[in-house]
Amino acid sequence: MHPRRLFTFALAAFALAGCGTTPHVDTAPATPQAAQPPRKIKIGLALGGGAARGFAHIGVIKALEAQGIYPDIVVGTSAGSVVGAMYAAGNSGFQLQKMAFDMDEAAISDWALPLFGKSSGVLKGEALQAYVNKAVNNQPMEKLKIPFGAVASDLKTGQPILFQRGNTGMAVRASSSVPGVFQPVAINGHTYVDGGLVAPVPVRFAREMGADFVIAVNISTQADAQATVSSLEVIMQTFSIMGQRINQFELKDADIVIQPALGKMGSSDFNSRNQAILAGEQAAAALMPQIKQKLEAKRRL
């Protein structure tokens, strides 16, 4: 072969060989980014005060459970602390309903004898304490199945106190001691009365206990809605008037506010417990789409 042609052929072969040995860069397929799972949030249930109107709390709990919504934290004031304690002990909404129907008003009424013509309350409150302790199997607050708090008011300082440990019945009794109706409760050198004086619906305390999402239940009545035919109802009306101003600020911090339509149901109307439970159930069911939507949004944050 002619030398020039041989050189040209070799050069071409070399070039072709070079093309054939170009390094191959293997690009791994992009890994699809896994969707972030919804984060676990703590649901707090803040149950307000309102004496016999508190039966509505049971209906709210039933409606929440029917949709698979179970609070991680429960905090209550007055009547809300009674229902809250029994719920935190592990009783379902239906069990609470049965307990409500079986409840004898006399079981929580222990009349106090006036001392020298004077008395700080017509009921001692010991019967309520015993009733609650029996309902929670005498478990202290820190042993209940759901973290639970009861709000009371320090009679001397006017400051709120959140009970989370100790005798469950005594804490509930303190939270429920409406001045003039129940005698104040002495605990560790302090005297306590109804928590409705400082936190009618304890939303902020649910937050303090670690709730990310607070469902508040307001069972207080409008000042012009409730008939005042007894001394108890006059006192509870006074509480409602005071509580409305506090609630204007307190309820703003709740994610959901449920207000059962209890109309003119009196604070001492234990005969209307069935209607109150139904009203609570209906009010919670009406807000269920909103509750689910806000819960899902909170989980995706």
Side-chain angles (χ1 to χ4, degrees):
M1 182 178 294
H2 192 277
R4 184 181 297 244
R5 184 174 297 176
L6 180 61
F7 175 77
T8 302
F9 178 81
L11 187 61
F14 179 79
L16 288 173
C19 291
T21 58
T22 300
H24 175 64
V25 179
D26 191 10
T27 304
T31 303
Q33 188 173 0
Q36 285 290 98
R39 71 185 181 100
K40 170 65 177 175
I41 65 170
K42 289 186 177 180
I43 300 173
L45 184 61
L47 304 176
R53 295 164 69 93
F55 287 111
H57 291 316
I58 296 173
V60 171
I61 290 169
K62 284 179 62 184
L64 292 174
E65 288 186 337
Q67 296 297 320
I69 299 173
Y70 295 89
D72 302 287
I73 293 165
V74 179
V75 59
T77 291
S78 198
S81 73
V82 178
V83 176
M86 294 190 290
Y87 183 50
N91 294 294
S92 69
F94 280 100
Q95 288 172 317
L96 291 175
Q97 179 173 273
K98 183 179 186 306
M99 294 166 74
F101 290 158
D102 293 342
M103 180 183 183
D104 182 1
E105 188 181 349
I108 60 171
S109 301
D110 48 356
W111 300 97
L113 294 176
L115 182 62
F116 303 114
K118 297 181 180 179
S119 176
S120 56
V122 297
L123 297 175
K124 291 185 287 185
E126 293 172 357
L128 174 63
Q129 177 177 328
Y131 176 83
V132 172
N133 276 333
K134 182 179 179 181
V136 302
N137 297 317
N138 292 308
Q139 296 179 94
M141 300 179 77
E142 65 271 21
K143 296 294 184 181
L144 299 178
K145 293 184 178 180
I146 303 173
F148 169 66
V151 181
S153 308
D154 189 308
L155 185 58
K156 183 177 181 180
T157 66
Q159 294 299 309
I161 177 72
L162 176 66
F163 290 106
Q164 294 181 264
R165 300 182 64 83
N167 188 306
T168 303
M170 182 173 286
V172 169
R173 173 187 171 192
S175 179
S176 305
S177 292
V178 179
V181 179
F182 285 94
Q183 294 178 350
V185 181
I187 302 175
N188 297 329
H190 294 266
T191 304
Y192 296 104
V193 292
D194 195 288
L197 290 169
V198 289
V201 185
V203 174
R204 57 182 157 144
F205 292 103
R207 296 284 186 200
E208 283 186 16
M209 291 177 66
D212 303 304
F213 188 92
V214 177
I215 300 172
V217 187
N218 180 17
I219 57 169
S220 64
T221 181
Q222 295 296 318
D224 59 350
Q226 185 171 321
T228 52
V229 296
S230 69
S231 58
L232 172 60
E233 287 165 351
V234 170
I235 292 171
M236 295 307 298
Q237 180 82 327
T238 305
F239 266 58
S240 294
I241 294 170
M242 293 187 300
Q244 283 175 24
R245 181 60 61 89
I246 299 173
N247 280 340
Q248 286 179 4
F249 299 97
E250 188 95 4
L251 295 176
K252 287 180 180 179
D253 197 33
D255 294 278
I256 293 289
V257 178
I258 299 173
Q259 185 151 354
L262 297 170
K264 294 185 178 182
M265 177 181 175
S267 299
S268 58
D269 187 2
F270 281 77
N271 292 327
S272 296
R273 66 191 77 182
N274 188 41
Q275 293 93 316
I277 292 171
L278 182 59
E281 201 166 351
Q282 291 173 335
L287 287 176
M288 199 58 65
Q290 187 178 344
I291 294 173
K292 290 183 175 181
Q293 181 182 18
K294 286 192 172 185
L295 267 175
E296 184 61 26
K298 182 78 76 169
R299 290 189 178 111
R300 295 292 178 183
L301 287 178

